[in-house]
Amino acid sequence: MTESTAARKTRAPSAAASPWASVPDRQQQREAKRHAVLQAAAQLFNERGFHATSLDDIAARLNVSKPTLYYYVKNKDEILLQCVRQGLEMTLEGIEASRQAGGNAVDQLRACMQAYANIVMQPFGMCLIRVGDEEVPEPSRSELRRMKSEIDLAFRRLVAQGVQEGSLQPCDPKMTAFVIAGALSWIGRWYQPGGEYTPEQIAEQCIATLCEGVLRRGDTPVPRTRRVVRTAAATEKRA
């Protein structure tokens, strides 16, 4: 039985799909594209340096025209500011999450070091280290330096807490925090994706060196390979 003409007329019309996205969808798409611009810019800044990178280079990396970039950013200075700020915000969020996870001072310190090491091997973190805030104009430069000081203070507090708990050697928290952050920051200078070690292995080895040192303790057994070398040397000397 076919549907009557009257029934078809009285039936509520179905909603037609709009060719324009809803406001939330448009905002999400714009933010995703803006993030892609910043990501591409951070990678190029890390590879070539800030001054050697142009907006044309960024547009070419994204396969878009240069005017397209102006829908998402004002100029190259703003791009750098956003890239550096993104690296700092990621670092601060990672450190705060590590502290919130709980544990004693050493547990929290290791977790914060892990978070910091992970960030400086990512594009925004590398941009923070390799380019820095010196290229950012005021007043944004002061804001970024304030955020950097929060990272330093977080490390200082944990070191001081560890000394108070007796889990860390007595030391100057300020100097120790400088050493920790400086050593981990330098990873962002020499790290190259696809190298001999994975980011996880790099972070693990660097943190172990910072926490355990490089000097052998008297109660630590010598590895078998080293005993063999010594034995061979002693045998040669006796001969």
Side-chain angles (χ1 to χ4, degrees):
M1 182 176 180
T2 59
E3 186 178 25
S4 66
T5 303
R8 288 198 301 270
K9 288 182 178 180
T10 57
R11 187 180 57 194
S14 59
S18 172
W20 287 270
S22 65
V23 173
D25 288 343
R26 289 201 301 270
Q27 291 175 343
Q28 290 175 4
Q29 291 174 9
R30 177 181 174 80
E31 185 58 31
K33 291 176 181 178
R34 180 175 173 277
H35 181 80
V37 171
L38 298 180
Q39 185 91 2
Q43 292 171 348
L44 286 167
F45 292 159
N46 296 333
E47 295 167 9
R48 306 180 185 181
F50 174 68
H51 292 294
T53 301
S54 67
L55 288 177
D56 289 312
D57 295 327
I58 299 171
R61 176 66 63 93
L62 293 165
N63 293 317
V64 299
S65 65
K66 180 178 176 180
T68 301
L69 298 181
Y70 292 111
Y71 285 103
Y72 309 102
V73 293
K74 294 179 181 178
N75 49 46
K76 197 171 76 166
D77 284 344
E78 186 200 3
I79 292 176
L80 176 61
L81 171 62
Q82 295 302 323
C83 287
V84 175
R85 178 181 284 128
Q86 184 79 12
L88 278 168
E89 289 176 350
M90 290 169 65
T91 303
L92 289 170
E93 289 170 4
I95 288 176
E96 181 59 25
S98 300
R99 291 200 318 106
Q100 292 294 331
N104 59 29
V106 172
D107 292 336
Q108 292 185 43
L109 180 60
R110 282 182 178 273
C112 288
M113 292 166 70
Q114 182 74 50
Y116 192 83
N118 290 340
I119 295 299
V120 299
M121 287 185 279
Q122 298 178 33
F124 290 123
M126 291 174 68
C127 185
L128 169 64
I129 302 304
R130 294 188 180 186
V131 181
D133 55 31
E134 294 81 5
E135 306 290 348
V136 178
E138 290 290 5
S140 298
R141 184 186 308 167
S142 296
E143 177 192 352
L144 295 177
R145 289 182 174 175
R146 178 191 60 77
M147 296 174 72
K148 281 187 175 181
S149 69
E150 292 181 29
I151 298 173
D152 173 60
L153 289 174
F155 279 119
R156 288 193 204 186
R157 284 193 293 267
L158 289 173
V159 171
Q161 184 181 341
V163 172
Q164 185 177 11
E165 291 176 357
S167 54
L168 293 179
Q169 294 278 7
C171 63
D172 181 342
K174 176 180 177 179
M175 290 299 299
T176 302
F178 282 165
V179 170
I180 291 173
L184 295 178
S185 294
W186 205 251
I187 297 174
R189 294 276 184 179
W190 53 257
Y191 170 71
Q192 293 294 334
E196 181 180 358
Y197 300 105
T198 66
E200 293 76 18
Q201 290 172 328
I202 291 172
E204 180 182 357
Q205 292 190 45
C206 290
I207 293 171
T209 299
L210 286 168
C211 291
E212 300 167 16
V214 296
L215 296 179
R216 180 172 295 282
R217 294 173 176 80
D219 58 347
T220 304
V222 179
R224 181 182 299 276
T225 53
R226 184 164 297 182
R227 286 203 297 269
V228 171
V229 171
R230 287 182 177 178
T231 302
T235 302
E236 183 179 355
K237 185 175 181 181
R238 287 198 301 271

